């Protein structure tokens, strides 16, 4: 086979792959990030420790329009997780083996469906992951699955990021952009702590995290929790 025909074949294969990708359309444009401390500054993974103690809770909420192609326009952030975290940058995970039990959270199922949807696999797989990895480490604050999920949803409702931004006239837009520092200030003013902003493609807000103390009161994030996204950021009204 000549070199040029090999090149042509590779190019054709690449075109087919690209076309397939467009046709299928990723449900999630930018992968939601992992626990911010799961990846260290040097790029190595780590951070999960076997000890079950923790210093504060990290409430991570997602902005659906940035990552979710099939979501309708939202007026609220949805849950990613409530993560027990340590000041030194480590966090406990997979603390015990009780499996996620949908019947245990049946009474709050409607709220879970609304405010804690998966953008990737089915909702239940997402909740299973969050329970196993983080919820099992949430004692002594929470000692059951129902308490954990109820508590997390309660924190999401209390620390309403959409309203915090709206009260500073920062509203979703597919054309306007905002300074990350203005977003930080707006959330701090409304909710009492500066958020850690994460961005996906196009520097659009994908998630915002709040540090909460053991009583779930707002607290300043420790230095082991650095800001992720700075400068001019997008806050899209719909997936683009
Ligand atoms: P965590 O392990 O809790 O730090 O979260 C990271 C994992 O959660 C990754 O595997 C992500 O793909 C997944 N994830 C984050 N957001 C969502 C979402 N909305 N739907 C489904 N999976 C998600």
């Amino acid at each position: 086979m000549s070199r040029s025909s090999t090149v042509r074949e590779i190019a054709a294969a690449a075109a087919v792959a690209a076309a397939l990708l467009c046709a299928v359309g990723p449900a999630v444009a930018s992968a939601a990030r992992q626990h911010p401390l799961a990846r260290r500054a040097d790029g190595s993974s780590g951070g999960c420790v076997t000890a079950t103690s923790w210093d504060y809770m990290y409430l991570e909420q997602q902005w659906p329009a940035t990552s979710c192609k099939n979501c309708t326009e939202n007026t609220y952030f949805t849950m990613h997780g409530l993560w027990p975290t340590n000041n030194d940058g480590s966090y406990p995970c997979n603390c015990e083996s009780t499996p996620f039990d949908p019947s245990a959270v049946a009474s709050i199922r409607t709220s879970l469906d609304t405010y804690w949807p998966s953008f990737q696999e089915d909702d239940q797989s997402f909740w299973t992951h969050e329970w196993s990895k983080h919820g099992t480490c949430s004692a002594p604050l929470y000692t059951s699955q129902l308490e954990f999920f109820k508590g997390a949803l309660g924190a999401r409702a209390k620390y309403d990021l959409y309203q915090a931004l709206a009260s500073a006239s920062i509203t979703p837009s597919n054309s306007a952009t905002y300074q990350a520092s203005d977003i930080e200030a707006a959330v701090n003013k409304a909710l009492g702590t500066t958020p850690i902003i994460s961005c996906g493609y196009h520097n659009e807000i994908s998630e915002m995290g709040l540090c909460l103390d053991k009583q779930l009161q707002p607290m300043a994030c420790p230095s082991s929790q650095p800001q992720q996204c700075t400068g001019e950021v997008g806050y899209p009204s719909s997936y683009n």
Side-chain angles (χ1 to χ4, degrees):
M1 186 186 298
S2 73
R3 185 176 172 278
S4 61
S5 68
T6 306
V7 169
R8 266 200 309 277
E9 280 183 20
I10 291 171
V16 169
L20 271 176
L21 202 63
C22 286
V24 173
V28 179
S30 56
R33 71 186 186 130
Q34 289 188 308
H35 190 292
L37 303 174
R39 193 161 291 282
R40 297 183 189 287
D42 65 2
S44 63
S45 61
C48 169
V49 291
T50 50
T52 55
S53 61
W54 49 275
D55 296 321
Y56 68 95
M57 280 290 187
Y58 191 73
L59 172 66
E60 184 82 319
Q61 301 184 48
Q62 308 188 311
W63 180 240
T66 297
S67 311
C68 177
K69 189 177 183 183
N70 303 317
C71 293
T72 49
E73 289 192 17
N74 260 30
T75 53
Y76 52 85
F77 280 66
T78 57
M79 278 296 292
H80 181 165
L82 184 66
W83 302 331
T85 306
N86 292 318
N87 290 331
D88 69 1
S90 67
Y91 64 94
C93 73
N94 303 315
C95 294
E96 42 118 340
S97 56
T98 316
F100 174 69
D101 174 9
S103 70
V105 296
S107 62
I108 56 166
R109 183 59 193 252
T110 307
S111 297
L112 282 169
D113 287 337
T114 306
Y115 297 112
W116 208 323
S118 171
F119 302 154
Q120 296 173 17
E121 69 281 279
D122 60 294
D123 290 352
Q124 209 160 296
S125 302
F126 188 28
W127 303 334
T128 298
H129 171 83
E130 290 301 315
W131 164 251
S132 302
K133 186 171 177 183
H134 304 288
T136 58
C137 302
S138 63
L141 184 61
Y142 303 124
T143 54
S144 72
Q145 301 184 34
L146 181 59
E147 281 182 22
F148 169 71
F149 283 102
K150 229 180 185 172
L153 288 173
R156 192 215 66 86
K158 179 175 178 185
Y159 300 106
D160 186 329
L161 294 170
Y162 182 90
Q163 286 302 332
L165 296 178
S167 61
S169 301
I170 297 175
T171 53
S173 165
N174 281 2
S175 51
T177 55
Y178 299 96
Q179 286 300 320
S181 54
D182 290 338
I183 289 172
E184 289 176 25
V187 173
N188 193 312
K189 185 172 176 205
L191 303 179
T193 183
T194 300
I196 304 296
I197 307 168
S198 302
C199 289
Y201 296 125
H202 317 305
N203 224 36
E204 290 173 338
I205 298 172
S206 57
E207 305 196 313
M208 284 212 269
L210 300 177
C211 294
L212 306 175
D213 69 15
K214 290 180 174 176
Q215 285 76 45
L216 296 190
Q217 295 305 305
M219 59 172 256
C221 288
S223 56
S224 56
Q225 190 79 263
Q227 190 54 272
Q228 305 279 324
C229 179
T230 55
E232 207 169 309
V233 303
Y235 179 31
S237 51
S238 61
Y239 179 87
N240 60 84

